Amino acid sequence: MQLAAIIVSLVLIAVGVALFGRAIVQIYQFMRLGQNVPAGTRTDQPVQRTVTVAREFLGHTRMNRWGVVGVAHWFVAVGFFSLLLTIVNAIGQLFKADWMLPIIGEWAPYNMFVEFIGTMTVVGIVTLIVIRQLSKPDNKPGRKSRFAGSKKGQAYFVEAVILIVGVCIFTLHALEGAQHHVDGYEASFFISYPFVSWFGGMDLSTLQNLTYFFAMLKIATSFIWMIVVALNTNMGVAWHRFLAFPNIWFKREADGSTTLGELQPMMSGGKPIDWEDPGEDDVFGVSQVEQFSWKGLLDFSTCTECGRCQSQCPAWNTGKPLSPKLLIMSLRDHAHAKAPYLLAGGGKDMEGNEKATEEQLKDVPAAALAEAERPLIGTAEENGVIDPDVLWSCTSCGACVEQCPVDIEHIDHIVDMRRYQVMIESAFPSEAGTMLKNLEKKGNPWGLAKKQRLEWLKELDFEVPVVGKDIEDLTEVEYLYWVGCAGSLEDRAKKTTKAFAELLHMAGVKFAIMGGDEKCTGDSARRLGNEPLFQQLGQENVMALNMAFGEELDDDGKVTPESAKPKTAKKIVATCPHCLNTLGNEYPQLGGDYEVIHHTQLLQHLIDEGKLIPVTPVEGLITYHDPCYLGRHNKIYTPPREIMTAVPGLRQQEMHRHKERGFCCGAGGARMWMEERIGKRINNERVDEALSLNPDIVSTACPFCLVMLTDSVNGKKNDGKAQESLQVVDVAQLLLDSVKTPVDPAGESETADEPEPEPVK
């Protein structure tokens, strides 16, 4: 038994270590196939990045959002890394059954740690196995299982390995106690003593043979796992335990915040494209897997196939072909299958001609050559890796990025593929073309004349100054109110605009608007994939804004250093979260650095300062819908809720999916301008969830959400599925209804003696 155990174990160790070393080299070479990233963007603040990795791993900050799953996974993950010395111990036990680690082998704290973590690793993996079995597609048919599409054979293999190794650690520790004649409870064996006592009744020869067997089983299981993993470098369910650390370390934000908010500039050859003078060899978007950045390739390989992204995705939950998990898995498998061809020097130029010689490709496997011929975007008939319907189903809501435990940046990769389809192939949903043309010609998606941006002012009984018309610049006002296209041109959104303007006027806040000089921020154009149009609209807006804030521009349209003002001196308030995100997070890429807040933030501040006092009750049950670009993308969850709390009479109740796990309305990612032809409409899914609470009011804080939810509610009313009195309103409208001075039946103001609120300084 001892000889067999030694031979089997040493052979497996030698083979496993050799193959694993080769696999690491292969993965490193594979990652280098991707584009570079600008220097410093992924490596700045190394100390902070290291702290982020430690916090996310030791704190399991994403995993623990899922309760028992996070706790169970924590013990499994910590056990994997902290119990590595037990392999050394097992190797020693092959040669001498009662061998212990020098120095710490008899140290009670170490033995207690091994006892506890080893036991909890077994408990943790059993818990995860049970959860997987309860949630597997067979038990949750259709799209209800987050494991749908995951490679279950690989998952079962990994779970079995962890369970066997955990049992072996526990058993070997108990055998160690028996061989050292532990005859009573003591700290080193505080869990395993019943087994120690049981083993203690056996003769020495039996104990030794059991030790040899379990030591061999532990080592063999561990290194068979290593061999299997080394031969399958795309086995994300196993490799994530190594690749997650660099993937988190190299994430976009060093402080650990999610990679949401702004999109990254288009890159070619590792450098941002100069849109005023693009290079002849610049690549626009991604049409081949090797055109992703090396961080993208690392993202793909790190996917754990856990399905958290899939379970939260509005497209997947409404019957559409997009699953963020399956998208990343497809890109990963394609990239790894194509890697031998790329590493041999293979690749296609812009005209589709092969760059490598026959001599370079002669040893490339046929499967890799065949994989290289597949289009990255294409239908099943075209043998495409990603179906076009998958690409265009994304609303860029950010639920996938928010939930991913290893910080994969799904949206950036989807938009990169969209960019090539729009800019080079001109292949995108036809109805979106109308929106793009309107943006090019009129500066708004509806194609309306710019003078119509001022029509809503006629319905106010006070004056709102317009920059360039009523005032020269913004030096005499506190805020520029960025009204946005929907806020000035869409009838339902205009109600929010007028309500907010009236509230600012009542609070004595000095503000102005850009009027006809305001153009679409370019949010929809950028997320559709038309980066040049975003750049054009953005640069025009930035120049207009910088001039409005009293800064002088040079011949290139850049702010002169001597006239530059600090960010805090350039305050913008927006009612549209998409405008908020673009102005605040993306315009700094174009030379516009502003302090941008959402209207709910300003209204909450005015209530807190006593400048707005809600007095009139607004009776009814209200449920609030979190806009994705206000919540997940910009972490603004509290102000809208506090405003509703301040309004007397309202009774708030949250929908099941809210805040970080809120459900999209279906308008983001330029989906506002595309038809939903596949599956259930996303806005209907969201409204059905709201109707399950039987509310009197559905509120939100985004004009896109307002339109989408209103459309669905109106449809439900026509079908008799929603009460006629159900309202969909922005929180600003609710607040205005409550702040307006109530009038008693005699016609006298009930609050006539109250002093006028002081203006905000």
Side-chain angles (χ1 to χ4, degrees), residues 256-314:
S257 56
T258 51
T259 51
L260 293 173
E262 73 274 18
L263 287 176
Q264 297 300 284
M266 272 184 66
M267 311 294 294
S268 181
K271 297 179 181 179
I273 293 175
D274 181 355
W275 292 103
E276 296 180 1
D277 185 24
E280 293 182 4
D281 298 328
D282 279 346
V283 176
F284 300 107
V286 170
S287 63
Q288 302 292 329
V289 73
E290 62 270 24
Q291 292 169 352
F292 286 107
S293 69
W294 59 260
K295 176 59 170 66
L297 299 182
L298 180 59
D299 268 357
F300 307 154
S301 296
T302 309
C303 178
T304 71
E305 303 181 22
C306 65
R308 283 168 176 74
C309 57
Q310 180 174 285
S311 70
Q312 303 297 302
C313 178

Side-chain angles (χ1 to χ4, degrees), residues 126 174 176 227 360 453 521 538 690 694:
V126 169
E176 182 181 295
I227 292 168
Q360 287 176 291
R453 286 184 177 270
T521 60
N694 194 28

Side-chain angles (χ1 to χ4, degrees), residues 85-367:
L85 281 178
T86 61
I87 293 181
V88 177
N89 202 67
I91 294 172
Q93 289 167 328
L94 289 174
F95 296 91
K96 190 173 184 293
D98 62 351
W99 188 84
M100 293 190 300
L101 291 168
I103 303 174
I104 63 172
E106 297 184 64
W107 190 38
Y110 172 73
N111 284 307
M112 290 175 66
F113 179 81
V114 171
E115 279 269 285
F116 178 68
I117 296 297
T119 302
M120 292 308 298
T121 296
V122 173
V123 172
I125 196 62
V126 169
T127 302
L128 295 178
I129 289 171
V130 170
I131 290 171
R132 182 179 289 274
Q133 292 307 304
L134 293 175
S135 303
K136 66 181 182 179
D138 294 343
N139 293 335
K140 291 187 173 182
R143 297 182 171 225
K144 295 180 181 179
S145 170
R146 63 185 174 94
F147 297 114
S150 298
K151 297 180 179 179
K152 62 180 181 180
Q154 293 182 356
Y156 292 158
F157 169 71
V158 170
E159 289 170 343
V161 165
I162 296 170
L163 180 59
I164 292 169
V165 169
V167 169
C168 287
I169 291 172
F170 185 89
T171 305
L172 286 169
H173 192 59
L175 286 165
E176 182 181 295
Q179 292 178 82
H180 287 84
H181 309 294
V182 173
D183 55 4
Y185 270 99
E186 61 179 64
S188 294
F189 302 94
F190 75 103
I191 297 175
S192 63
Y193 179 71
F195 293 88
V196 173
S197 180
W198 179 48
F199 288 137
M202 300 179 183
D203 61 74
L204 182 60
S205 177
T206 302
L207 288 176
Q208 289 175 336
N209 283 331
L210 283 172
T211 301
Y212 300 145
F213 172 76
F214 279 101
M216 178 189 69
L217 181 60
K218 172 177 168 45
I219 294 168
T221 304
S222 299
F223 286 91
I224 287 173
W225 173 86
M226 184 175 283
I227 292 168
V228 171
V229 168
L231 295 174
N232 295 273
T233 53
N234 65 337
M235 191 173 174
V237 71
W239 276 104
H240 81 271
R241 64 181 57 190
F242 304 109
L243 298 180
F245 295 103
N247 205 54
I248 295 171
W249 200 92
F250 288 119
K251 67 188 295 185
R252 190 197 301 171
E253 304 298 337
D255 63 359
S257 56
T258 51
T259 51
L260 293 173
E262 73 274 18
L263 287 176
Q264 297 300 284
M266 272 184 66
M267 311 294 294
S268 181
K271 297 179 181 179
I273 293 175
D274 181 355
W275 292 103
E276 296 180 1
D277 185 24
E280 293 182 4
D281 298 328
D282 279 346
V283 176
F284 300 107
V286 170
S287 63
Q288 302 292 329
V289 73
E290 62 270 24
Q291 292 169 352
F292 286 107
S293 69
W294 59 260
K295 176 59 170 66
L297 299 182
L298 180 59
D299 268 357
F300 307 154
S301 296
T302 309
C303 178
T304 71
E305 303 181 22
C306 65
R308 283 168 176 74
C309 57
Q310 180 174 285
S311 70
Q312 303 297 302
C313 178
W316 180 258
N317 277 280
T318 54
K320 296 168 181 60
L322 169 63
S323 156
K325 177 187 72 177
L326 299 179
L327 172 92
I328 296 297
M329 287 172 60
S330 296
L331 292 170
R332 177 196 66 199
D333 293 344
H334 170 62
H336 281 266
K338 189 178 178 181
Y341 162 79
L342 296 171
L343 290 169
K348 303 289 177 67
D349 60 21
M350 298 290 285
E351 286 73 37
N353 302 313
E354 179 58 60
K355 292 188 280 189
T357 63
E358 290 186 14
E359 179 65 21
Q360 287 176 291
L361 300 179
K362 65 182 179 62
D363 295 326
V364 175

Side-chain angles (χ1 to χ4, degrees), residues 440-711:
E440 290 174 7
K441 295 179 179 179
K442 299 293 185 178
N444 67 79
W446 286 279
L448 300 175
K450 68 177 186 178
K451 65 181 181 180
Q452 290 190 246
R453 286 184 177 270
L454 299 172
E455 289 298 306
W456 65 274
L457 294 175
K458 297 177 181 178
E459 300 177 40
L460 300 178
D461 56 5
F462 56 90
E463 296 296 323
V464 175
V466 179
V467 177
K469 178 183 176 184
D470 303 310
I471 57 174
E472 185 176 341
D473 56 38
L474 296 162
T475 54
E476 295 182 5
V477 299
E478 189 174 359
Y479 289 97
L480 168 68
Y481 174 24
W482 186 272
V483 183
C485 299
S488 56
L489 300 172
E490 207 283 329
D491 289 339
R492 287 162 288 190
K494 281 197 285 187
K495 295 178 181 178
T496 302
T497 302
K498 290 181 287 187
F500 180 57
E502 193 167 342
L503 287 166
L504 293 183
H505 178 68
M506 294 170 70
V509 177
K510 291 185 177 181
F511 69 100
I513 64 172
M514 294 293 290
D517 289 338
E518 183 182 290
K519 292 189 175 182
C520 177
T521 60
D523 163 83
S524 292
R526 191 174 216 192
R527 278 146 188 81
L528 184 75
N530 194 328
E531 184 70 9
L533 181 54
F534 164 76
Q535 294 283 331
Q536 175 191 329
L537 292 168
Q539 288 170 1
E540 291 173 357
N541 279 330
V542 166
M543 289 177 64
L545 284 170
N546 288 342
M547 292 176 64
F549 280 113
E551 296 178 319
E552 297 178 4
L553 308 182
D554 59 22
D555 294 339
D556 296 324
K558 309 296 183 184
V559 176
T560 58
E562 58 274 9
S563 70
K565 293 184 177 180
K567 180 178 179 177
T568 53
K570 297 179 287 184
K571 295 182 179 181
I572 300 176
V573 59
T575 43
C576 176
H578 297 264
C579 295
L580 166 88
N581 184 67
T582 307
L583 291 166
N585 297 329
E586 297 187 330
Y587 276 12
Q589 299 172 6
L590 308 177
D593 202 14
Y594 316 111
E595 184 178 302
V596 187
I597 63 171
H598 191 244
H599 73 291
T600 57
Q601 292 175 294
L602 181 53
L603 292 177
Q604 180 201 353
H605 171 73
L606 294 172
I607 292 172
D608 292 343
E609 293 292 310
K611 308 303 180 185
L612 292 174
I613 305 174
V615 290
T616 305
V618 179
E619 300 292 343
L621 178 67
I622 188 168
T623 190
Y624 174 71
H625 163 79
D626 284 285
C628 299
Y629 273 78
L630 186 64
R632 274 190 294 267
H633 282 273
N634 285 280
K635 308 303 177 192
I636 300 172
Y637 297 109
T638 303
R641 289 172 168 83
E642 292 205 352
I643 292 171
M644 291 184 291
T645 299
V647 174
L650 285 178
R651 292 173 287 116
Q652 294 184 52
Q653 187 169 347
E654 297 283 9
M655 285 183 264
H656 175 67
R657 294 176 287 202
H658 64 279
K659 292 188 176 179
E660 289 87 354
R661 295 174 74 169
F663 198 78
C664 184
C665 74
R671 290 293 323 174
M672 177 83 168
W673 319 105
M674 297 181 241
E675 287 296 327
E676 250 183 285
R677 297 187 174 91
I678 304 173
K680 182 180 181 180
R681 293 181 67 89
I682 294 174
N683 58 339
N684 286 341
E685 172 74 9
R686 187 54 165 166
V687 166
D688 283 343
E689 185 174 2
L691 292 178
S692 68
L693 304 177
N694 194 28
D696 300 296
I697 305 169
V698 177
S699 66
T700 188
C702 169
F704 283 17
C705 296
L706 189 71
V707 169
M708 299 296 284
L709 298 179
T710 302
D711 284 348

